[in-house]
Amino acid sequence: AGGGRPEARLETRLSRRRLAVLAVFSCYSLVNAFQWIQYSILSNVFAGFYGVSFTQIDWLSMVYMVAYVPLILPATWLLDARGLRLTALLGAGLNALGAWLKCGSLAPQRYPLTLAAQAVCAVAQVFILGLPSRIASVWFGPTEVSTACAVAVLGNQLGTAIGFLVPPVLVPNTPNDIDLMAHNIGIMFYGTAIVSTLLFFLTGVVFEEKPKYPPSHSQAVLQTKPPEDYSYKQSIINLFKNVPFILLLISYGIMTGAFYSVSTLLNQMIVTHYEGEEVNAGRIGLTLVVAGMVGSIICGLWLDYTKTYKQTTLIVYILSFIGLLVFTFTLDLGYLIVVFVTGGVLGFFMTGYLPLGFEFAVEITYPESEGTSSGLLNASAQIFGIVFTLVQGKLTTDYSPRAGNIFLCAWIFVGIILTALIKSDLRRHNVNSGIMNLDVKAV
């Protein structure tokens, strides 16, 4: 029994620190997402405060997408070359720096400063969005990796949810009292800066490069490979030669880009049909994201249990398409309760898709770096997000929210077709199950 078990001698063990790493990451990812959406959900308030157009306020959201595209390759190289701890510290540190810079923009006519501060937060996002699958793979076992990835993505979603809910409550629209408006915005900005600074210090305390023992056989196999065997350039080439990954890259970009566009323009869509309902617009955004958080956890648990990556991804994609159609054609009925319900259904599937894409990519690209595949998925999402936000915003302004949403529906239908064409080869799962089968036979 002892002669044929070289892989079985690779000791695997779960670290208790993994939960703290996941919790701290989720929290500072939350703050970064909160900073992304805090302007858009109050677009009419900030447009009046800074004396700028709605398009300029939309750019405070889109700068996150613009910054990501040119910086993702350097960021993923840094993750692979310098490791998880340094990347995490950069994300948390830049997040705090951007939050403090915003505190200096608490006066009308300081739009350029708040844009610059938001750009710093956007750079921080580059070092955040690619980490969920890396943290899950490096720190968590094979029966919990998809759930861990979903929880890591959940932090970002929760930040978006809080960003929808809290700003309209903290900063009511007081166009006749700019000083009061500045005071309220200051409470939001300073509170965010203090929390993000605390999380930066916690990141320094909690994060380590990797646990003492690998948590899974697939990680143990990867860790036995000499560092000189890894080539970042070759990894990129391998990914772009992987046809299933390319199909997923485009389909993930479409779905997530559509979510970014809907989130950015939600305030404008709601107040077009329900004037003066800024607070309820935030609550609808909250409903959308909280429902998506539930969807993310359910999808993560389902993947850990079934490993049906393609089937689950395709079903969620189709249901997202149906959800957006229903949301589109019920938005102008005049009943806010209907918008809450349809927004919740849309969010459950559209936001629930996000961790599915990450984990599906890791499965079909193993043993390539999780950070690289996740980074490319996010870059695709940002590119589609920029285009979708600009086009949907133009259609919404010139015609109606329905026209903009129909544009997104057409693209999501294309994404369904691309997802159906993906040939699934679950490489990481096969490595883990194959080695576990060897262990059984050896015993």
Side-chain angles (χ1 to χ4, degrees):
R5 304 182 58 186
E7 291 93 342
R9 286 195 293 269
L10 296 173
E11 183 177 359
T12 62
R13 191 181 301 175
L14 294 178
S15 167
R16 284 180 292 182
R17 183 182 285 261
R18 73 192 191 283
L19 299 177
V21 169
L22 183 63
V24 171
F25 170 78
S26 297
C27 286
Y28 78 75
S29 178
L30 179 156
V31 176
N32 185 258
F34 174 85
Q35 296 200 79
W36 165 56
I37 206 67
Q38 66 184 168
Y39 293 101
S40 295
I41 198 59
L42 291 172
S43 54
N44 56 332
V45 174
F46 278 105
F49 181 73
Y50 287 118
V52 296
S53 66
F54 279 103
T55 301
Q56 286 172 287
I57 298 301
D58 289 344
W59 273 106
L60 292 171
S61 173
M62 287 190 290
V63 69
Y64 265 56
M65 308 174 204
V66 172
Y68 196 92
V69 177
L71 294 176
I72 184 52
L73 291 181
T76 52
W77 172 85
L78 186 74
L79 176 60
D80 290 332
R82 295 290 182 265
L84 184 61
R85 176 176 164 82
L86 177 61
T87 306
L89 284 170
L90 276 172
L94 289 170
N95 199 44
L97 176 60
W100 282 109
L101 287 174
K102 288 181 184 180
C103 297
S105 67
L106 292 170
Q109 313 308 320
R110 291 188 186 176
Y111 172 81
L113 178 56
T114 213
L115 177 60
Q118 189 74 333
V120 174
C121 296
V123 175
Q125 176 211 215
V126 182
F127 299 103
I128 294 173
L129 286 188
L131 292 189
S133 56
R134 170 64 67 93
I135 290 172
S137 295
V138 171
W139 284 90
F140 288 83
T143 61
E144 57 188 15
V145 64
S146 295
T147 304
C149 183
V151 172
V153 174
L154 192 76
N156 204 266
Q157 296 172 6
L158 182 58
T160 304
I162 295 173
F164 279 128
L165 178 67
V166 173
V169 175
L170 290 180
V171 190
N173 192 10
T174 56
N176 298 322
D177 193 342
I178 297 299
D179 290 338
L180 177 60
M181 188 181 292
H183 172 76
N184 293 332
I185 294 173
I187 292 173
M188 179 170 67
F189 282 175
Y190 277 103
T192 305
I194 291 168
V195 171
S196 58
T197 303
L198 174 62
L199 288 169
F200 170 64
F201 287 116
L202 281 176
T203 302
V205 171
V206 168
F207 263 77
E208 289 183 354
E209 192 55 45
K210 59 185 179 182
K212 183 177 180 181
Y213 298 98
S216 65
H217 289 292
S218 60
Q219 278 297 306
V221 171
L222 286 179
Q223 291 180 19
T224 60
K225 292 185 177 182
E228 57 268 21
D229 287 354
Y230 176 76
S231 166
Y232 180 70
K233 179 181 177 182
Q234 188 59 46
S235 180
I236 295 289
I237 293 172
N238 292 343
L239 288 174
F240 278 103
K241 286 182 177 178
N242 186 326
V243 175
F245 177 71
I246 294 300
L247 293 172
L248 180 62
L249 186 69
I250 299 171
S251 61
Y252 182 89
I254 291 171
M255 175 64 79
T256 313
F259 169 71
Y260 290 160
S261 185
V262 169
S263 299
T264 300
L265 299 170
L266 185 63
N267 172 272
Q268 295 176 44
M269 283 192 274
I270 300 301
V271 299
T272 296
H273 296 298
Y274 306 91
E275 189 175 349
E277 293 287 358
E278 290 88 358
V279 172
N280 272 322
R283 290 171 180 165
I284 291 167
L286 173 70
T287 303
L288 188 149
V289 179
V290 169
M293 289 161 54
V294 176
S296 294
I297 293 298
I298 291 175
C299 288
L301 291 169
W302 177 255
L303 288 186
D304 277 331
Y305 180 70
T306 66
K307 305 300 179 185
T308 53
Y309 291 86
K310 177 180 175 178
Q311 298 92 320
T312 304
T313 302
L314 182 59
I315 290 170
V316 171
Y317 219 118
I318 293 170
L319 293 173
S320 297
F321 172 72
I322 295 171
L324 185 57
L325 277 177
V326 174
F327 177 81
T328 298
F329 288 98
T330 58
L331 183 62
D332 59 352
L333 292 181
Y335 300 100
L336 269 172
I337 186 64
V338 174
V339 184
F340 273 97
V341 173
T342 57
V345 173
L346 175 63
F348 182 88
F349 296 111
M350 183 176 273
T351 318
Y353 172 84
L354 304 184
L356 291 179
F358 281 150
E359 283 300 290
F360 196 12
V362 173
E363 287 294 337
I364 63 179
T365 62
Y366 179 87
E368 305 301 335
S369 167
E370 303 92 346
T372 306
S373 61
S374 297
L376 290 173
L377 288 180
N378 283 318
S380 175
Q382 310 300 332
I383 293 170
F384 277 103
I386 294 167
V387 174
F388 287 172
T389 302
L390 289 172
V391 175
Q392 187 187 10
K394 181 70 173 173
L395 291 171
T396 298
T397 302
D398 292 353
Y399 299 98
S400 68
R402 176 175 292 185
N405 284 331
I406 290 174
F407 166 78
L408 291 185
C409 288
W411 274 99
I412 291 178
F413 184 76
V414 172
I416 293 173
I417 297 172
L418 295 176
T419 303
L421 294 175
I422 298 174
K423 292 183 178 179
S424 179
D425 180 15
L426 306 185
R427 303 179 184 182
R428 179 180 62 177
H429 172 62
N430 292 338
V431 168
N432 282 323
S433 60
I435 291 177
M436 285 188 281
N437 287 337
L438 283 175
D439 289 349
V440 172
K441 290 177 182 177
V443 170

